[in-house]
Amino acid sequence: MLRSLANVPVELSKLFKWKMTMSNNYFNTLALRDQLEQLGKCRFMHLNEFTEGVDALKGKKIVVIGCGAQGLNQGLNLRDSGLDVSYTLRQAAIDEKRQSWKNASENGFTVGTYKELIPTADVVLNLTPDKQHTAVVTEIMPLMKKDACLSYSHGFNVVEEGMQIRQDLTVIMVAPKCPGSEVRAEYVRGFGVPTLIAVHEDNDPQGQGLALAKAYAVGTGGHKAGVLMSSFIAEVKSDLMGEQTILCGMLQTGSILCFDKMVEKGIDAGYASKLVQYGWEVVTEALKYGGVTNMLDRLSNPDKIAAFDLAEELKDIMRPLYNKHQDDIMDGTFSSGMMADWAEDDAKLLGWRAETAETAFEKTPAGDMEISEQEFFDHGILMVAMVKAGVELAFETMTAAGIIADSAYYESLHETPLIANTIARKKLYEMNATISDTAEYGCYLYNHACLPLLQDFMKKIDTDVIGKGTVNDDNGVDNARLIEVNAALRAHPVEQIGGILRGHMSDMKAII
Amino acid sequence: MQIHLQQCQFEFEQGFQLQDINWQIKSGQHWVITGANGSGKSALVATLAGYGEKIAGTSEGSVEAVALVSFEAQAALIERERKKDDADILDVISVGTAVHEILAEGGTNANIVKDLVEKFALNYLLDRPFRALSTGETRKILLIQALASEPQLLLLDEPFDGLDADTLAMLQQYLAKLSNTVNIVMVLNRSDEIPDFITHLGYMRNATLAHSVARADESGYRELFQLLHLKTSDLRIPPTADSSTQALLNPDQPLVVLSDICVKYDQLKVLQNFNWRIDTGQHWQLCGPNGSGKTAILSLITGDHPQCYSNDIFVFGFQRGNGESIWQIKQFIGYVSTALQWEYRVGTSLRNVIVSGFYDSIGLYSKATDKQRQIADQWLALLGMQGRADQSFNKLSFGDQRLLLIARAMVKHPPLLILDEPCLGLDDINRQLVLALIEKICAAGLSTVLYVNHHSEDTIAGIENYKNIEKHSSNVD
């Protein structure tokens, strides 16, 4: 989940300590068949399913809670789509004229307290950070109009914390799969960002949930870029898995291992820092366009085979770790562990964050040498292998757990370039600042388990696969082996579903 | 032969002067000189035949035989012949000089004369008095005389003007052959008449040779050619796909009414109590220093300014903030600015950039209809970019991108066309190009133009209303 969490009042985390004891993991209350049904929900919607535009929201009063990057930018889009949008903030944020208050009022929106605005709202968009959900929703629920709609952009509160929502309220989720600034920028261009929508079936008393969610997606421009119809459960379980393993965890672990190895082998630290910082972005750009196959096709034939072999080895080593993450997510171990840390005022999270800031990679500025686009591949064979292993493992683990391939694709391969881009901007600091606390917490868990796991593997790694590239004049390979590798690359299920979904996307984006 | 003029200043009758002329013509080069009316292009070429008095600068090189055919030379000859007719004091009726005598003047080659008279099919008038000929006929006679004088340097001022199609083709063919041995310098007004053998283009503006470029310099030549094309061709603005959104507007209502506008950022008020009404057909120029709020005003109109919802704004029949979408507003507006160009960093084709104007999008996210594609191609032809439809937008020169974005803005014939400093960041030639295109658009009368600029020299013919805003930002109390 990519969301900026600029201003989380610290005192909030204390507000729901009492609540935690009441909460039940919603997913765990369902029967297996219902769990599987919910996990299996994910469908790419066609443009012609959005012909009613924003009609379902027309004339309704939309009140947004929170005015950070998502809150502000979604609200700007909705208003420009002809909808009635205002913002509600805590009294303190208004009194102290905090940034969220400035964001909303400078853009000409009406701003009011919960008590002033929530009772007037037909639709309430909860765009606060996950961590605040229990406190916020508990506070606003009694204020909400009868039969109104409550919208989330992440299902953690409902699925993991078991928030019980008043039975007359409709509960939906609309989650643009991009940072808030991009949600706005794409809308202004006349396009949108891919968006996931879902209806919480336990809270759809009038059967209007889908119509409202669709209208909301149109209002933010998401329908133009592709909408996935999913479920709260599939969204949460796949989102958590993706973000803590391949997306953030693997890139963080990989960054540290690759950098340290290069420095150990005498490569200039500035070069190593640059190769890693920008390398993820360059190699995953190839991934975005043509999947794992295209990413490996950017390598010479011998290097491709080397990357393939490294990835196979990495997958064998890391598979138990991926399984553990998925298991912990499914049975609620992960979320209860994290909530316990919330109750400790994020002691672990903040400690790990400080630790990350102290890594050699983070502290070594990128050198000013030129690295050509192709060189990032040629000198970053191990990074390519790590991306391949992480994407495939996350995908395999998710689908094995009952998550449909479409969801698994979006939460692994599709989002990797977005995260890689944050590292290119400002290394791990930027990545961890951009992602949600939930993702960050999971990322550190992964990183701590994965670093020791790969210790032996890294011992035999040399600069031929990270830092210098192969110095082989002979580009020859064994034909049979090359054919085998090429076939295996293309036959992986993430490539099959990726081909279909990228086809949909490029149909929609056809021309650019 | 070679001629090299450096920092030359020439004075002509009635005080007309050419300034700062720097021009070098080498053997084997063939030039076309062009420019707007009154820019001095004929005068420049005439200096090569010894006209005008050089009052400054240096001129090197020499030419033994120069022949000039121009309206001025034609007029002088006709005047001479007319004076011969003033002989009534002798009480004889003068018939003036016969055509064949004129053709023999100046030591012309009789064989060439004979050949050309046949080619121009002028045998029938050889014995007539020159002054009895029509304008077109005298023109042809002068051409023959000049060609038959076997010059080293042939100066032709608008040689193709008024020729019928067959004669034109014949002459062009003849000149093409001649260009192997003779240096040719022409004044031409129409870009589509530039013969293939021409090696250099020169562009006169305000009595100076503002640009000169060799055909071998592909991009420079293309820019100059485009400028000529826009300045000189008889261009028509292409039609729009279905109907312009003009039809959706109530003709009795103003296009835009901004009432008592206030815009503030944090503690800074950039606009205060600003009022403006724009009626259909009223072209406006909006002027003001940097930071005076010009862009804020425009973005309130286009709906891109978030404070448009907290101000009293009436646009295209909508009182803003009543459930209209931004796309309902944008459909009435064509918009060009430097900021848009920065935003428009997409690898899409030139054709698609123009088509995106139908959708008000940056990039194209809908399939273009055949008709839209055709219209885009017509615009490309208008810009002198035919045949480049599939090129990538982000590979274009900055100036070409700007032209294309103006075409994108105009493609739907918007009721309001907003040009926010459309010449910003452009070099002189590209500025001329953009202004030439905008003048065509103003003249076509399809859109009300709102032109924002603080360059006083970049004025546009056809804009008569001026709105000046002062910089009046102040802190909120």
Side-chain angles (χ1 to χ4, degrees):
Chain A
M1 186 89 241
L2 274 163
R3 261 175 319 115
S4 180
L5 296 172
N7 40 355
V8 185
V10 180
E11 73 272 21
L12 267 179
S13 61
K14 291 182 177 147
L15 273 172
F16 49 82
K17 273 182 199 165
W18 62 272
K19 179 69 184 73
M20 274 182 37
T21 53
M22 302 171 51
S23 63
N24 275 314
N25 188 304
Y26 169 71
F27 180 72
N28 291 349
T29 66
L30 298 179
L32 177 62
R33 84 183 78 80
D34 295 329
Q35 290 181 334
L36 290 175
E37 191 199 328
Q38 293 297 316
L39 283 173
K41 275 203 178 153
C42 187
R43 178 175 73 81
F44 190 89
M45 299 181 79
H46 286 277
L47 203 53
N48 61 20
E49 296 180 65
F50 296 91
T51 49
E52 276 147 47
V54 295
D55 288 356
L57 286 170
K58 204 88 204 173
K60 296 214 160 128
K61 192 160 178 53
I62 299 171
V63 173
V64 184
I65 314 173
C67 197
Q70 282 292 342
L72 174 63
N73 289 304
Q74 288 190 31
L76 287 168
N77 290 1
L78 292 168
R79 182 173 66 176
D80 278 344
S81 296
L83 300 174
D84 177 359
V85 179
S86 47
Y87 285 82
T88 185
L89 302 172
R90 301 188 154 275
Q91 186 74 53
I94 297 172
D95 293 345
E96 292 163 26
K97 300 194 170 181
R98 285 189 195 149
Q99 189 59 44
S100 57
W101 176 84
K102 277 189 194 161
N103 287 348
S105 51
E106 244 179 38
N107 283 291
F109 289 103
T110 302
V111 185
T113 60
Y114 293 177
K115 282 210 174 88
E116 285 163 355
L117 292 183
I118 297 287
T120 69
D122 298 298
V123 182
V124 174
L125 310 186
N126 174 19
L127 295 173
T128 58
D130 291 344
K131 207 186 268 188
Q132 299 181 16
H133 283 189
T134 296
V136 167
V137 173
T138 307
E139 190 175 346
I140 60 153
M141 204 153 44
L143 300 171
M144 282 182 74
K145 234 193 237 182
K146 186 169 184 299
D147 301 333
C149 173
L150 173 63
S151 176
Y152 283 91
S153 62
H154 188 26
F156 190 85
N157 184 233
V158 168
V159 175
E160 300 293 316
E161 299 185 87
M163 173 59 74
Q164 296 293 310
I165 316 253
R166 233 170 60 199
Q167 278 307 301
D168 61 298
L169 299 178
T170 303
V171 176
I172 61 172
M173 174 171 21
V174 176
K177 301 305 270 175
C178 280
S181 53
E182 223 164 297
V183 171
R184 180 62 181 163
E186 288 294 324
Y187 180 87
V188 171
R189 290 162 65 103
F191 198 49
V193 302
T195 299
L196 185 147
I197 65 172
V199 178
H200 184 36
E201 289 167 16
D202 290 3
N203 275 92
D204 191 16
Q206 286 112 37
Q208 290 177 348
L210 181 57
L212 291 169
K214 275 167 38 177
Y216 182 173
V218 172
T220 57
H223 67 304
K224 292 182 181 167
V227 173
L228 287 169
M229 168 80 186
S230 183
S231 69
F232 271 63
I233 284 169
E235 189 271 336
V236 170
K237 300 295 187 187
S238 59
D239 186 62
L240 290 174
M241 180 61 188
E243 67 192 14
Q244 50 191 255
T245 56
I246 169 59
L247 299 180
C248 308
M250 187 72 245
L251 295 188
Q252 166 140 357
T253 306
S255 296
I256 293 168
L257 289 177
C258 291
F259 177 83
D260 290 349
K261 173 57 71 176
M262 281 188 270
V263 173
E264 175 204 321
K265 294 287 176 184
I267 288 175
D268 174 65
Y271 180 87
S273 174
K274 188 166 201 168
L275 188 73
V276 172
Q277 179 174 357
Y278 299 100
W280 299 120
E281 189 182 38
V282 173
V283 300
T284 59
E285 180 77 2
L287 181 76
K288 179 169 102 186
Y289 277 94
V292 175
T293 304
N294 182 56
M295 180 175 66
L296 266 81
D297 282 350
R298 293 296 309 270
L299 296 167
S300 71
N301 284 331
D303 290 355
K304 182 201 277 189
I305 292 170
F308 182 88
D309 291 341
L310 286 169
E312 288 298 292
E313 201 180 338
L314 283 167
K315 281 175 77 174
D316 285 343
I317 301 169
M318 298 192 299
R319 183 168 281 111
L321 178 62
Y322 278 69
N323 285 338
K324 176 172 170 23
H325 273 266
Q326 187 68 78
D327 295 345
D328 289 352
I329 288 166
M330 283 299 180
D331 69 12
T333 306
F334 166 74
S335 51
S336 58
M338 182 176 66
M339 286 187 279
D341 193 47
W342 291 357
E344 297 298 320
D345 293 335
D346 297 314
K348 283 187 191 164
L349 180 81
L350 295 174
W352 291 333
R353 190 182 284 174
E355 232 172 66
T356 301
E358 291 304 309
T359 58
F361 167 63
E362 204 65 12
K363 292 172 89 172
T364 308
D368 51 11
M369 64 288 290
E370 283 284 311
I371 302 182
S372 73
E373 200 250 4
Q374 185 59 42
E375 186 174 329
F376 280 110
F377 289 91
D378 296 340
H379 290 193
I381 298 168
L382 178 61
M383 293 167 74
V384 170
M386 284 174 167
V387 172
K388 177 185 189 289
V391 164
E392 290 182 357
L393 267 181
F395 181 88
E396 289 166 24
T397 317
M398 282 192 251
T399 50
I403 294 165
I404 201 170
D406 308 50
S407 289
Y409 172 82
Y410 278 103
E411 301 296 350
S412 58
L413 194 152
H414 176 77
E415 288 205 5
T416 307
L418 297 175
I419 303 291
N421 172 265
T422 65
I423 296 179
R425 271 185 283 160
K426 262 177 151 184
K427 298 193 165 177
L428 301 176
Y429 169 82
E430 176 78 5
M431 177 183 84
N432 286 312
T434 305
I435 61 179
S436 66
D437 281 9
T438 314
E440 190 179 355
Y441 185 88
C443 165
Y444 297 142
L445 278 185
Y446 177 95
N447 185 45
H448 280 88
C450 198
L451 284 173
L453 199 59
L454 293 181
Q455 209 175 5
D456 288 341
F457 169 84
M458 287 304 292
K459 277 184 189 148
K460 44 181 214 241
I461 292 296
D462 210 333
T463 53
D464 58 337
V465 292
I466 185 71
K468 283 190 181 158
T470 45
V471 277
N472 213 340
D473 291 339
D474 176 15
N475 235 9
V477 285
D478 177 58
N479 279 318
R481 180 65 185 142
L482 183 65
I483 290 166
E484 217 170 75
V485 165
N486 278 332
L489 279 173
R490 285 157 177 79
H492 194 278
V494 78
E495 294 298 272
Q496 317 249 300
I497 187 72
I500 295 167
L501 291 175
R502 284 193 298 272
H504 282 320
M505 301 294 289
S506 62
D507 273 353
M508 308 202 71
K509 217 164 174 170
I511 337 277
I512 302 205
Chain B
M1 66 137 260
Q2 175 164 335
I3 297 167
H4 195 180
L5 305 178
Q6 281 173 295
Q7 288 302 113
C8 283
Q9 189 175 353
F10 292 95
E11 187 164 275
F12 292 79
E13 287 162 31
Q14 287 137 10
F16 179 78
Q17 287 192 352
L18 293 177
Q19 309 278 356
D20 300 329
I21 301 297
N22 293 296
W23 192 17
Q24 188 168 18
I25 308 172
K26 291 183 177 168
S27 185
Q29 292 181 350
H30 306 289
W31 285 73
V32 159
I33 302 298
T34 187
N37 289 332
S39 60
K41 52 191 189 295
S42 293
L44 176 71
V45 171
T47 63
L48 300 178
Y51 289 85
E53 186 191 349
K54 181 161 73 69
I55 53 178
T58 59
S59 150
E60 289 166 17
S62 64
V63 192
E64 280 167 24
V66 183
L68 168 69
V69 179
S70 68
F71 276 108
E72 287 74 12
Q74 188 177 356
L77 187 56
I78 289 168
E79 178 66 14
R80 187 192 82 182
E81 288 300 302
R82 201 169 54 79
K83 279 187 177 150
K84 284 185 181 170
D85 200 22
D86 287 344
D88 53 351
I89 47 165
L90 301 174
D91 199 28
V92 285
I93 297 167
S94 164
V95 292
T97 319
V99 168
H100 64 85
E101 289 172 281
I102 297 269
L103 287 174
E105 275 179 21
T108 51
N109 180 321
N111 289 330
I112 299 176
V113 169
K114 190 161 175 285
D115 176 43
L116 284 169
V117 166
E118 259 165 46
K119 283 199 160 86
F120 277 103
L122 293 179
N123 276 311
Y124 67 98
L125 49 67
L126 285 177
D127 294 328
R128 291 194 197 168
F130 182 73
R131 67 165 196 258
L133 303 187
S134 72
T135 319
E137 285 164 343
T138 54
R139 191 34 109 71
K140 289 176 187 170
I141 295 304
L142 285 179
L143 270 170
I144 294 171
Q145 191 198 34
L147 295 168
S149 69
E150 300 181 281
Q152 216 180 0
L153 175 63
L154 178 62
L155 310 173
L156 301 171
D157 188 341
E158 290 291 348
F160 306 129
D161 235 29
L163 295 185
D164 56 78
D166 289 345
T167 317
L168 180 69
M170 183 279 294
L171 180 59
Q172 281 176 333
Q173 209 179 346
Y174 189 89
L175 291 175
K177 203 170 150 201
L178 196 67
S179 68
N180 292 322
T181 50
V182 178
N183 294 284
I184 300 176
V185 176
M186 291 192 216
V187 174
L188 285 180
N189 265 329
R190 296 178 58 96
S191 60
D192 50 1
E193 288 178 341
I194 297 175
D196 291 341
F197 63 79
I198 291 298
T199 60
H200 288 74
L201 281 182
Y203 182 72
M204 288 295 288
R205 190 161 57 82
N206 296 337
T208 194
L209 184 60
H211 303 285
S212 55
V213 60
R215 197 189 280 263
D217 169 8
E218 270 184 50
S219 66
Y221 185 85
R222 201 163 60 205
E223 279 174 357
L224 200 52
F225 185 86
Q226 263 177 286
L227 179 57
L228 303 185
H229 174 73
L230 280 173
K231 280 277 194 194
T232 61
S233 306
D234 179 21
L235 301 176
R236 265 199 215 119
I237 302 294
T240 191
D242 298 310
S243 56
S244 158
T245 48
Q246 193 82 57
L248 302 175
L249 293 174
N250 177 349
D252 298 331
Q253 285 183 333
L255 282 180
V256 175
V257 185
L258 303 179
S259 310
D260 206 21
I261 298 296
C262 287
V263 171
K264 61 173 194 232
Y265 305 113
D266 211 353
Q267 294 301 301
L268 190 71
K269 277 196 179 180
V270 290
L271 276 177
Q272 210 168 349
N273 313 117
F274 179 83
N275 294 283
W276 197 11
R277 173 189 164 120
I278 300 172
D279 283 303
T280 301
Q282 262 185 351
H283 300 316
W284 282 87
Q285 179 157 352
L286 177 65
C287 307
N290 287 329
S292 57
K294 296 190 299 291
T295 301
I297 292 168
L298 297 181
S299 55
L300 287 170
I301 296 173
T302 59
D304 291 319
H305 199 295
Q307 291 177 30
C308 66
Y309 292 95
S310 43
N311 272 294
D312 181 356
I313 297 171
F314 175 88
V315 278
F316 315 111
F318 295 97
Q319 181 66 37
R320 289 306 316 267
N322 284 295
E324 73 291 341
S325 85
I326 196 169
W327 308 110
Q328 283 174 292
I329 304 298
K330 286 187 186 284
Q331 62 175 333
F332 295 103
I333 301 173
Y335 184 75
V336 180
S337 71
T338 312
L340 174 73
Q341 189 165 351
W342 297 132
E343 286 298 311
Y344 217 114
R345 281 167 295 126
V346 289
T348 189
S349 72
L350 304 196
R351 184 190 284 123
N352 283 340
V353 168
I354 294 181
V355 171
S356 73
F358 285 112
Y359 300 95
D360 305 309
S361 58
I362 293 180
L364 184 59
Y365 311 106
S366 310
K367 287 233 157 60
T369 65
D370 285 348
K371 184 148 188 209
Q372 288 168 342
R373 293 165 58 87
Q374 277 168 17
I375 291 168
D377 289 347
Q378 289 173 34
W379 274 99
L380 287 170
L382 183 144
L383 299 179
M385 299 188 196
Q386 52 270 66
R388 297 166 66 190
D390 295 318
Q391 278 186 13
S392 178
F393 180 72
N394 54 16
K395 302 246 161 66
L396 282 189
S397 74
F398 198 71
D400 277 348
Q401 287 188 350
R402 192 69 59 83
L403 286 174
L404 212 68
L405 290 178
I406 295 176
R408 168 187 176 271
M410 265 312 289
V411 73
K412 61 180 178 182
H413 295 184
L416 183 65
L417 176 64
I418 299 178
L419 302 163
D420 184 0
E421 306 216 35
C423 296
L424 196 71
L426 298 184
D427 61 13
D428 184 69
I429 186 146
N430 281 298
R431 208 159 71 216
Q432 296 306 315
L433 269 167
V434 165
L435 293 174
L437 178 60
I438 294 172
E439 272 175 21
K440 294 276 178 212
I441 289 168
C442 281
L446 297 166
S447 296
T448 300
V449 176
L450 200 176
Y451 174 61
V452 182
N453 182 27
H454 56 236
H455 264 278
S456 54
E457 70 264 31
D458 292 340
T459 53
I460 289 179
I463 294 186
E464 283 155 359
N465 301 286
Y466 295 89
K467 184 90 177 169
N468 277 295
I469 47 172
E470 304 295 323
K471 188 163 182 170
H472 58 0
S473 45
S474 61
N475 282 316
V476 181
D477 301 327

